[in-house]
Amino acid sequence: MTFFVPSHSRPGRSATTTVMTMTTSASLPSEDAIAVDGTVTDRLVEANARYAAAFTDPGMDARPVLQVAVVACMDARLDLHAALGLELGDCHTVRNAGGVVTDDVIRSLTISQRALGTRSVVLIHHSGCGLEGLSEDFRHDLEMEVGQRPTWAVEGFRDVDQDVRQSIQKVRTSPFLLHTDDVRGFVFDVKSGLLREIDPA
């Protein structure tokens, strides 16, 4: 599937139109074909070689241009840069299962703000998340299977809106973050592509 994404012009950047080709798992080779041609990782390494052949150093600083950090779920359906109109170098992106604000996410946000100058935080959950309805029984089942209890919590939820509110609260009350006045949370609809902002109250 090919579609066109206009990029917004910013100081020092010209407005362009990017042609993006979306490849879904349905169009990928079968497992048998992958086995003959190598692993999926082999294919990614080959793709990187092609990318590097045409790559030129953009000369960017490590500090995000828009001074924003985005925390989102790792779900493969979320193309954050396309969905938010972002370009390379615009933001920091922190992703995990569910977009949960864990201690490690706070660690990343703290470094993002204190060492690399970000000031805003955008939290994005989404519809149809795999963590919806998943309980801590998942950890128990793992312990029974492997003989060791996971040290991490599953962080499953039933109400995605409430989970976003909880995430907002965790960020806003963290003593390690310098900037908590611009923290906003959203639910991304995987069917429509639209963000729905969640009232933190």
mmCIF file of all heavy atoms in Angstrom, residues 37-61:
data_model
loop_
_atom_site.group_PDB
_atom_site.id
_atom_site.type_symbol
_atom_site.label_atom_id
_atom_site.label_comp_id
_atom_site.label_asym_id
_atom_site.label_seq_id
_atom_site.Cartn_x
_atom_site.Cartn_y
_atom_site.Cartn_z
ATOM 1 N N ASP A 37 15.570 -18.098 2.538
ATOM 2 C CA ASP A 37 16.306 -16.859 2.287
ATOM 3 C C ASP A 37 17.020 -16.309 3.520
ATOM 4 O O ASP A 37 17.702 -15.298 3.437
ATOM 5 C CB ASP A 37 15.341 -15.785 1.759
ATOM 6 C CG ASP A 37 14.713 -16.200 0.430
ATOM 7 O OD1 ASP A 37 15.361 -16.960 -0.298
ATOM 8 O OD2 ASP A 37 13.585 -15.774 0.156
ATOM 9 N N GLY A 38 16.875 -16.939 4.659
ATOM 10 C CA GLY A 38 17.470 -16.442 5.887
ATOM 11 C C GLY A 38 16.407 -16.021 6.875
ATOM 12 O O GLY A 38 15.215 -16.058 6.588
ATOM 13 N N THR A 39 16.828 -15.613 8.059
ATOM 14 C CA THR A 39 15.891 -15.221 9.103
ATOM 15 C C THR A 39 15.357 -13.813 8.844
ATOM 16 O O THR A 39 15.877 -13.083 7.982
ATOM 17 C CB THR A 39 16.578 -15.234 10.475
ATOM 18 O OG1 THR A 39 17.583 -14.198 10.493
ATOM 19 C CG2 THR A 39 17.220 -16.585 10.763
ATOM 20 N N VAL A 40 14.335 -13.439 9.595
ATOM 21 C CA VAL A 40 13.811 -12.079 9.509
ATOM 22 C C VAL A 40 14.912 -11.082 9.838
ATOM 23 O O VAL A 40 15.038 -10.026 9.196
ATOM 24 C CB VAL A 40 12.607 -11.904 10.460
ATOM 25 C CG1 VAL A 40 12.198 -10.442 10.539
ATOM 26 C CG2 VAL A 40 11.439 -12.758 9.999
ATOM 27 N N THR A 41 15.736 -11.410 10.849
ATOM 28 C CA THR A 41 16.829 -10.506 11.212
ATOM 29 C C THR A 41 17.808 -10.339 10.057
ATOM 30 O O THR A 41 18.308 -9.230 9.803
ATOM 31 C CB THR A 41 17.566 -11.034 12.453
ATOM 32 O OG1 THR A 41 16.624 -11.202 13.520
ATOM 33 C CG2 THR A 41 18.659 -10.062 12.901
ATOM 34 N N ASP A 42 18.079 -11.422 9.317
ATOM 35 C CA ASP A 42 18.940 -11.319 8.140
ATOM 36 C C ASP A 42 18.362 -10.321 7.142
ATOM 37 O O ASP A 42 19.091 -9.518 6.547
ATOM 38 C CB ASP A 42 19.090 -12.685 7.459
ATOM 39 C CG ASP A 42 19.924 -13.662 8.269
ATOM 40 O OD1 ASP A 42 20.782 -13.210 9.046
ATOM 41 O OD2 ASP A 42 19.692 -14.883 8.132
ATOM 42 N N ARG A 43 17.049 -10.371 6.952
ATOM 43 C CA ARG A 43 16.398 -9.447 6.019
ATOM 44 C C ARG A 43 16.526 -8.010 6.490
ATOM 45 O O ARG A 43 16.726 -7.089 5.688
ATOM 46 C CB ARG A 43 14.921 -9.816 5.855
ATOM 47 C CG ARG A 43 14.715 -11.150 5.141
ATOM 48 C CD ARG A 43 13.256 -11.547 5.127
ATOM 49 N NE ARG A 43 12.428 -10.499 4.566
ATOM 50 C CZ ARG A 43 11.181 -10.249 4.937
ATOM 51 N NH1 ARG A 43 10.621 -10.977 5.893
ATOM 52 N NH2 ARG A 43 10.483 -9.297 4.373
ATOM 53 N N LEU A 44 16.421 -7.802 7.811
ATOM 54 C CA LEU A 44 16.555 -6.453 8.346
ATOM 55 C C LEU A 44 17.974 -5.931 8.160
ATOM 56 O O LEU A 44 18.182 -4.753 7.842
ATOM 57 C CB LEU A 44 16.184 -6.441 9.832
ATOM 58 C CG LEU A 44 14.752 -6.855 10.176
ATOM 59 C CD1 LEU A 44 14.527 -6.776 11.678
ATOM 60 C CD2 LEU A 44 13.732 -6.002 9.429
ATOM 61 N N VAL A 45 18.959 -6.797 8.372
ATOM 62 C CA VAL A 45 20.357 -6.397 8.187
ATOM 63 C C VAL A 45 20.622 -6.049 6.726
ATOM 64 O O VAL A 45 21.323 -5.073 6.408
ATOM 65 C CB VAL A 45 21.308 -7.507 8.670
ATOM 66 C CG1 VAL A 45 22.748 -7.186 8.314
ATOM 67 C CG2 VAL A 45 21.175 -7.702 10.183
ATOM 68 N N GLU A 46 20.049 -6.815 5.808
ATOM 69 C CA GLU A 46 20.195 -6.526 4.380
ATOM 70 C C GLU A 46 19.549 -5.186 4.040
ATOM 71 O O GLU A 46 20.097 -4.393 3.254
ATOM 72 C CB GLU A 46 19.574 -7.646 3.559
ATOM 73 C CG GLU A 46 20.342 -8.963 3.611
ATOM 74 C CD GLU A 46 19.571 -10.113 2.968
ATOM 75 O OE1 GLU A 46 18.493 -9.842 2.394
ATOM 76 O OE2 GLU A 46 20.042 -11.250 3.049
ATOM 77 N N ALA A 47 18.383 -4.937 4.623
ATOM 78 C CA ALA A 47 17.700 -3.658 4.386
ATOM 79 C C ALA A 47 18.542 -2.507 4.915
ATOM 80 O O ALA A 47 18.611 -1.430 4.310
ATOM 81 C CB ALA A 47 16.320 -3.665 5.053
ATOM 82 N N ASN A 48 19.202 -2.715 6.053
ATOM 83 C CA ASN A 48 20.054 -1.673 6.608
ATOM 84 C C ASN A 48 21.230 -1.364 5.696
ATOM 85 O O ASN A 48 21.636 -0.209 5.559
ATOM 86 C CB ASN A 48 20.572 -2.077 7.990
ATOM 87 C CG ASN A 48 21.588 -1.081 8.507
ATOM 88 O OD1 ASN A 48 22.784 -1.361 8.520
ATOM 89 N ND2 ASN A 48 21.119 0.088 8.899
ATOM 90 N N ALA A 49 21.791 -2.402 5.064
ATOM 91 C CA ALA A 49 22.904 -2.182 4.144
ATOM 92 C C ALA A 49 22.472 -1.288 2.987
ATOM 93 O O ALA A 49 23.213 -0.387 2.570
ATOM 94 C CB ALA A 49 23.429 -3.518 3.635
ATOM 95 N N ARG A 50 21.264 -1.511 2.471
ATOM 96 C CA ARG A 50 20.741 -0.665 1.399
ATOM 97 C C ARG A 50 20.501 0.758 1.894
ATOM 98 O O ARG A 50 20.787 1.738 1.196
ATOM 99 C CB ARG A 50 19.445 -1.263 0.830
ATOM 100 C CG ARG A 50 19.652 -2.598 0.112
ATOM 101 C CD ARG A 50 18.397 -3.034 -0.637
ATOM 102 N NE ARG A 50 17.278 -3.308 0.264
ATOM 103 C CZ ARG A 50 17.049 -4.481 0.821
ATOM 104 N NH1 ARG A 50 17.868 -5.506 0.612
ATOM 105 N NH2 ARG A 50 15.990 -4.665 1.602
ATOM 106 N N TYR A 51 19.979 0.867 3.112
ATOM 107 C CA TYR A 51 19.730 2.179 3.724
ATOM 108 C C TYR A 51 21.040 2.943 3.906
ATOM 109 O O TYR A 51 21.149 4.121 3.568
ATOM 110 C CB TYR A 51 19.033 1.962 5.064
ATOM 111 C CG TYR A 51 18.920 3.182 5.941
ATOM 112 C CD1 TYR A 51 17.959 4.157 5.694
ATOM 113 C CD2 TYR A 51 19.761 3.356 7.043
ATOM 114 C CE1 TYR A 51 17.831 5.270 6.516
ATOM 115 C CE2 TYR A 51 19.657 4.461 7.862
ATOM 116 C CZ TYR A 51 18.698 5.418 7.592
ATOM 117 O OH TYR A 51 18.575 6.512 8.403
ATOM 118 N N ALA A 52 22.052 2.248 4.432
ATOM 119 C CA ALA A 52 23.331 2.895 4.700
ATOM 120 C C ALA A 52 24.029 3.345 3.424
ATOM 121 O O ALA A 52 24.748 4.355 3.416
ATOM 122 C CB ALA A 52 24.236 1.948 5.484
ATOM 123 N N ALA A 53 23.801 2.622 2.342
ATOM 124 C CA ALA A 53 24.443 2.966 1.074
ATOM 125 C C ALA A 53 24.007 4.337 0.573
ATOM 126 O O ALA A 53 24.764 5.028 -0.107
ATOM 127 C CB ALA A 53 24.134 1.894 0.033
ATOM 128 N N ALA A 54 22.787 4.729 0.912
ATOM 129 C CA ALA A 54 22.272 6.028 0.465
ATOM 130 C C ALA A 54 22.223 7.044 1.606
ATOM 131 O O ALA A 54 21.725 8.149 1.441
ATOM 132 C CB ALA A 54 20.874 5.852 -0.126
ATOM 133 N N PHE A 55 22.741 6.662 2.776
ATOM 134 C CA PHE A 55 22.617 7.492 3.976
ATOM 135 C C PHE A 55 23.611 8.646 3.959
ATOM 136 O O PHE A 55 24.765 8.487 3.580
ATOM 137 C CB PHE A 55 22.861 6.637 5.218
ATOM 138 C CG PHE A 55 22.713 7.382 6.519
ATOM 139 C CD1 PHE A 55 21.464 7.616 7.056
ATOM 140 C CD2 PHE A 55 23.835 7.842 7.204
ATOM 141 C CE1 PHE A 55 21.312 8.293 8.258
ATOM 142 C CE2 PHE A 55 23.703 8.520 8.413
ATOM 143 C CZ PHE A 55 22.438 8.740 8.935
ATOM 144 N N THR A 56 23.135 9.815 4.368
ATOM 145 C CA THR A 56 24.026 10.946 4.596
ATOM 146 C C THR A 56 23.768 11.469 6.004
ATOM 147 O O THR A 56 22.623 11.540 6.444
ATOM 148 C CB THR A 56 23.770 12.087 3.580
ATOM 149 O OG1 THR A 56 22.377 12.456 3.623
ATOM 150 C CG2 THR A 56 24.138 11.650 2.173
ATOM 151 N N ASP A 57 24.804 11.819 6.704
ATOM 152 C CA ASP A 57 24.696 12.300 8.077
ATOM 153 C C ASP A 57 23.896 13.594 8.094
ATOM 154 O O ASP A 57 24.294 14.590 7.479
ATOM 155 C CB ASP A 57 26.098 12.534 8.650
ATOM 156 C CG ASP A 57 26.076 13.014 10.094
ATOM 157 O OD1 ASP A 57 24.980 13.146 10.681
ATOM 158 O OD2 ASP A 57 27.168 13.254 10.641
ATOM 159 N N PRO A 58 22.725 13.607 8.812
ATOM 160 C CA PRO A 58 21.916 14.829 8.828
ATOM 161 C C PRO A 58 22.502 15.927 9.711
ATOM 162 O O PRO A 58 22.006 17.043 9.728
ATOM 163 C CB PRO A 58 20.566 14.340 9.381
ATOM 164 C CG PRO A 58 20.918 13.157 10.218
ATOM 165 C CD PRO A 58 22.093 12.497 9.538
ATOM 166 N N GLY A 59 23.558 15.584 10.460
ATOM 167 C CA GLY A 59 24.214 16.587 11.292
ATOM 168 C C GLY A 59 23.373 17.078 12.449
ATOM 169 O O GLY A 59 23.491 18.226 12.879
ATOM 170 N N MET A 60 22.516 16.202 12.967
ATOM 171 C CA MET A 60 21.619 16.600 14.049
ATOM 172 C C MET A 60 22.291 16.475 15.413
ATOM 173 O O MET A 60 23.187 15.657 15.607
ATOM 174 C CB MET A 60 20.365 15.719 14.051
ATOM 175 C CG MET A 60 19.494 15.892 12.848
ATOM 176 S SD MET A 60 18.067 14.762 12.919
ATOM 177 C CE MET A 60 17.232 15.234 11.422
ATOM 178 N N ASP A 61 21.805 17.273 16.332
ATOM 179 C CA ASP A 61 22.199 17.167 17.730
ATOM 180 C C ASP A 61 21.328 16.108 18.389
ATOM 181 O O ASP A 61 20.266 15.768 17.883
ATOM 182 C CB ASP A 61 21.992 18.524 18.418
ATOM 183 C CG ASP A 61 22.516 18.537 19.841
ATOM 184 O OD1 ASP A 61 23.727 18.735 20.018
ATOM 185 O OD2 ASP A 61 21.705 18.332 20.764
#
